[in-house]
Amino acid sequence: MPGYTPTSQGSVVSFGGVALGRLTSWRLQPGTANFEEWTHVGSTVIGSGSQARVVKQFFCSSITPGGVTIRMFGCPPFAPFDIGHNAGLGVAWDGGSLSIDSYLEDFDVTGSVGEYLVGTAQFKFSGTGWSTS
């Protein structure tokens, strides 16, 4: 649709098939590439004499899986022994979805007088089972 901009209104996150409450925000971190230097004798040289410099070359040796951080009203439905649990994580938003095996990395609850309790949960992708739509 021309001019259509997806929103996060009504987003839903589930872990192990259990919906994780009323979301206020979520953040997807797709992952990061890890590089190794791969400079060799055939590398490009810039300049000459005492001003010569070798241009470093790199290759991607691995990719660190990303994760999802969610914020929600109330307490996340976890107990301390759930940290490290592996299950399917699903995130659905207006116009798309993500499904991937993940670990519960951390969670907490913050409270302030006169305010709602706010729960936060962090998930780390296992690196397998990734699908999007």
Side-chain angles (χ1 to χ4, degrees), residues 52-88:
R53 299 174 309 283
V54 175
V55 177
K56 288 184 176 183
Q57 293 177 329
F58 296 90
F59 72 98
C60 180
S61 61
S62 64
I63 296 173
T64 302
V68 170
T69 301
I70 66 165
R71 292 188 67 210
M72 59 193 290
F73 285 123
C75 300
F78 304 119
F81 56 80
D82 290 326
I83 292 175
H85 180 72
N86 180 273

Side-chain angles (χ1 to χ4, degrees), residues 8 43 64 90 111:
S8 61
S43 295
T64 302

